Amino acid sequence: MTSFTRRTFLAAAPALAQPPARKINIAFLGAAHSHAEGKIAAVRANPAFSLAGIVEDDPKYRARYEAAGLPLLPREKVLSDPSIEVIAVESEVKRHARDGFAALNAGKHVHLEKPPADNMAETRTVIETARRKQRLLQLGYMWRHHPGMNLMLDAARQGWLGDIYLIKGMMNTLITAEQRPEWNLFPGGQMFEQGCHLLDPIVRLLGRPARISSVLKTSGDFKDTLKDNAVAVLEYPRAVAVISTAVLQPAANPYRCLEIFGTSGTAVLRPIEQPVLEIDLAKPAGPYKAGRQKVDLPPFRRYEGDFAELARCVTEHKPLSVTLEQEFLLQQVLLEASHM
């Protein structure tokens, strides 16, 4: 098993550093998204943050957070309070752009749940507002600080895998019939909802595809039109990336994977959580020996790295690791792959 050097550890967990010297006041604008509870827990466990409270209008979610002893605040209070530096937007997807714009326009740094909008016009408004206000805008793609994924991307960027010619990824899940109407709010269906998590590392690694084609099918035996079985193909001048994502697979998590193939070697992450990374090289490169080897990884906990990076960038006045230009490009690719 390949062990970490300091360099490979930093590549795997770039956001992990000394905690900031002061507390950052953060509030949640909306908490109805499926990632909200996990992110609230991550913020509360992070010594860099102080949770001011939560804005949520839906009585069902309000009751849940109130029962947990979390402070519920009016929207106007969160937006106008100068002591609140950061707002995490965890509202329903259809409200992401509106809430993100409001928070940025109020002068707050923003963690915005993915996807930021269901169209490019609102995405452009949110990104331009962040640029104009000189505020941090961090999108909530949950594997950006994944240790295994970052090591794979680092190996590809360093040339240790040779010329990249193929990337494959799969992210399936299983949802109930009761959940399908919510997932069917957007024509991109499962590609828009979860395929974005696989498009994110591919686009950050390879950039803008020359061509995007996708198949969005309704394969489940339900009386609806949810695109529950989706495949996207991204064509590059010398490479192809293929991702598949469906909501029809029982016990799907162990099968989620990302694979990068190059002329000098292969990197396979399967499962993605908890991660198992295998590198197979034709010859030694970087910290890796020739041949097939498992890479020793630290535990992965969703959202911890995101908020660690956000805290560090707020306190040290540094840019985030993903630029606004990269966010804009990713959204373009996602909407095209989602037929939106």
Side-chain angles (χ1 to χ4, degrees):
M1 182 174 284
T2 298
S3 298
F4 277 131
T5 63
R6 175 173 173 77
R7 186 186 186 290
T8 55
F9 178 81
L10 291 174
L16 302 180
Q18 294 297 317
R22 64 176 178 83
K23 290 272 190 179
I24 300 167
N25 224 15
I26 185 172
F28 279 73
L29 184 54
H33 193 274
S34 60
H35 292 173
E37 289 190 32
K39 291 185 180 180
I40 291 169
V43 163
R44 296 181 78 190
N46 189 322
F49 287 103
S50 175
L51 179 59
I54 297 166
V55 178
E56 180 50 59
D57 299 330
D58 190 309
K60 176 179 67 174
Y61 293 102
R62 284 181 63 87
R64 181 185 303 173
Y65 293 121
E66 193 170 29
L70 298 175
L72 296 170
L73 299 176
R75 180 184 179 93
E76 298 73 22
K77 161 72 174 173
V78 165
L79 293 174
S80 63
D81 188 342
S83 72
I84 296 176
E85 293 182 73
V86 177
I87 286 179
V89 174
E90 290 297 321
S91 51
E92 298 170 328
V93 175
K94 62 185 178 182
R95 295 178 53 176
H96 285 179
R98 185 188 73 175
D99 290 341
F101 170 77
L104 289 164
N105 205 43
K108 315 297 185 182
H109 300 293
V110 172
H111 173 90
L112 179 58
E113 184 57 73
K114 62 79 196 169
D118 63 353
N119 61 83
M120 285 309 302
E122 287 186 315
T123 302
R124 185 178 289 107
T125 297
V126 169
I127 287 177
E128 288 179 352
T129 303
R131 186 176 285 117
R132 174 171 52 86
K133 289 285 190 176
Q134 298 184 325
R135 298 291 88 183
L136 299 174
L137 173 62
Q138 180 188 60
L139 294 192
Y141 291 97
M142 64 188 180
W143 290 330
R144 285 186 172 171
H145 297 278
H146 186 292
M149 202 165 285
N150 283 339
L151 286 177
M152 297 176 78
L153 297 177
D154 188 51
R157 291 184 181 116
Q158 295 295 329
W160 299 334
L161 302 179
D163 296 328
I164 305 304
Y165 62 87
L166 176 64
I167 299 178
K168 296 193 299 182
M170 184 172 71
M171 183 182 184
N172 291 349
T173 191
L174 182 67
I175 63 173
T176 64
E178 291 71 27
Q179 291 174 286
R180 289 176 68 92
E182 178 185 351
W183 290 49
N184 198 21
L185 290 175
F186 303 99
Q190 173 64 358
M191 181 60 65
F192 185 66
E193 174 66 29
Q194 289 194 319
C196 57
H197 288 299
L198 292 172
L199 290 171
D200 173 48
I202 293 169
V203 172
R204 286 189 289 116
L205 176 63
L206 297 181
R208 183 187 298 277
R211 184 183 177 200
I212 302 169
S213 53
S214 54
V215 176
L216 310 180
K217 287 192 68 66
T218 302
S219 295
D221 187 17
F222 299 89
K223 297 183 186 304
D224 62 32
T225 59
L226 171 62
K227 304 307 180 185
D228 55 19
N229 185 18
V231 177
V233 178
L234 282 60
E235 297 181 46
Y236 291 89
R238 298 177 62 189
V240 175
V242 182
I243 70 166
S244 63
T245 180
V247 296
L248 303 167
Q249 183 181 6
N253 277 8
Y255 299 94
R256 290 181 175 182
C257 61
L258 183 66
E259 303 171 330
I260 303 178
F261 299 85
T263 54
S264 298
T266 304
V268 174
L269 182 66
R270 177 175 175 172
I272 295 177
E273 299 172 282
Q274 277 301 317
V276 176
L277 174 62
E278 190 170 86
I279 303 282
D280 190 354
L281 298 181
K283 58 185 179 181
Y288 306 109
K289 62 186 181 181
R292 195 171 176 178
Q293 60 216 279
K294 284 189 176 180
V295 181
D296 187 22
L297 295 176
F300 172 65
R301 289 177 285 273
R302 288 183 181 181
Y303 321 129
E304 284 188 354
D306 304 82
F307 286 105
E309 181 192 34
L310 185 57
R312 188 181 72 247
C313 291
V314 168
T315 56
E316 297 179 7
H317 306 286
K318 291 183 176 180
L320 294 161
S321 57
V322 180
T323 68
L324 293 177
E325 290 75 18
Q326 288 174 306
E327 301 288 20
F328 190 80
L329 173 58
L330 173 60
Q331 182 72 353
Q332 286 180 313
V333 173
L334 172 61
L335 290 179
E336 186 172 344
S338 301
H339 297 174
M340 292 170 63

